[in-house]
Amino acid sequence: MVNSLQSLRTGSMPDEQQRISEVLEAGVEKPQVLFWQYDRAAIIMGCSQRPDEGQICRSESAGLAIIRRRSGGGAVLAGPWMLSVTVFIPPDHPVAKQNIIEIFSWLEQIWIDSLRACGVPCRGVDQAMIDNSKTISQQQDLKWACYASLSHGEVVSEDGRKLVGLAQIRKRKGVALVSGLHLYPSDWSLLSSVVVDNALQGNILEQLNSDAQSLSGTAAETLLPDLINAFAERIPEDFVRTKL
């Protein structure tokens, strides 16, 4: 087993997004995995979400950067409590040729096996769970938040609270599967305060989500290297861990 922390990059969310863009623009020649932990809190919004003046002012007051990513989905508050894992796949790789449900299911199983190996109880989602989560998101006016609903390939606690969120960036020169695992709880009220100016919606988001530390009873700093190793051991042999 290699030193997993040597494979972990630590930096800002804008730096991570820039690195993902650079890899895709240069072209993915071989499968690669980028493990990233954020060194500061920031809000990232989906490509269809454009920060308005109020959101920008509130994020500045909170001392948070607010940026847009190249993939879809809703707003996310990322910080040291989140492990981001991006899997880069060449366009001609068999995995890349799968449809979106198949490719997400492929990654979902890797996450489930990795988390369970580290003592984090979890499960995948089915269509009924996805449909129900979207209904709740609509009823609670939470469609703006990435972690308010479920999608194919995502991972939840055994009682259905979201644990790993997924997104896909598909370009001519490669595919990036981006996933975010909450190592320990996020500040959901801070996210909702900035994005929709309503801290109370954070209470609902908190109920809909979970984290690896709470589920396993193991401290996040202890889980982190074990999770990286477990994930790397379960991806196909032609994938490599890299500092990118």
Side-chain angles (χ1 to χ4, degrees), residues 18-28 70 171-173:
Q18 179 63 32
R19 189 63 193 131
I20 292 172
S21 295
E22 290 172 352
V23 172
L24 290 174
E25 289 168 5
V28 183
R70 297 178 64 178
K171 298 295 181 180
R172 183 175 61 85
K173 295 183 179 180

Side-chain angles (χ1 to χ4, degrees), residues 41-180:
I43 290 176
I44 183 168
M45 303 181 80
C47 60
S48 63
Q49 295 177 311
R50 185 178 300 276
D52 60 31
E53 183 177 347
Q55 291 167 335
I56 293 172
C57 289
R58 290 191 295 272
S59 68
E60 290 177 348
S61 296
L64 298 173
I66 184 167
I67 63 173
R68 295 168 71 197
R69 61 180 178 269
R70 297 178 64 178
S71 59
V76 177
L77 176 64
W81 51 84
M82 179 176 283
L83 172 64
S84 175
V85 180
T86 301
V87 179
F88 296 98
I89 308 172
D92 58 351
H93 193 280
V95 173
K97 296 182 182 299
Q98 299 181 107
N99 64 42
I100 189 169
I101 294 179
E102 292 171 336
I103 198 170
F104 277 172
S105 295
W106 171 82
L107 184 58
E108 175 189 60
Q109 194 58 56
I110 293 173
W111 266 118
I112 290 173
D113 292 344
S114 301
L115 287 161
R116 288 177 176 172
C118 295
V120 182
C122 62
R123 57 177 292 198
V125 302
D126 56 31
Q127 190 62 55
M129 294 171 66
I130 293 172
D131 293 342
N132 183 60
S133 74
K134 294 186 184 304
T135 297
I136 294 173
S137 177
Q138 178 72 34
Q139 292 173 342
Q140 300 293 338
D141 198 22
L142 289 169
K143 293 180 68 176
W144 57 269
C146 182
Y147 282 77
S149 61
L150 302 172
S151 297
H152 290 285
E154 294 186 326
V155 181
V156 297
S157 61
E158 291 182 331
D159 61 357
R161 291 172 292 147
K162 192 165 179 174
L163 184 61
V164 178
L166 301 181
Q168 177 185 222
I169 307 171
R170 186 176 288 270
K171 298 295 181 180
R172 183 175 61 85
K173 295 183 179 180
V175 176
L177 301 179
V178 186
S179 51

Side-chain angles (χ1 to χ4, degrees), residues 188-189 192 199-208:
W188 299 105
S189 293
S192 60
L200 293 179
Q201 284 199 314
N203 297 331
I204 304 172
L205 288 170
E206 183 176 2
Q207 295 172 14
L208 296 175

Side-chain angles (χ1 to χ4, degrees), residues 179-212:
S179 51
L181 164 71
H182 281 103
L183 294 166
Y184 58 93
S186 174
D187 188 342
W188 299 105
S189 293
L190 177 60
L191 174 65
S192 60
S193 293
V194 171
V195 179
V196 293
D197 197 20
N198 183 354
L200 293 179
Q201 284 199 314
N203 297 331
I204 304 172
L205 288 170
E206 183 176 2
Q207 295 172 14
L208 296 175
N209 287 274
S210 191
D211 63 275

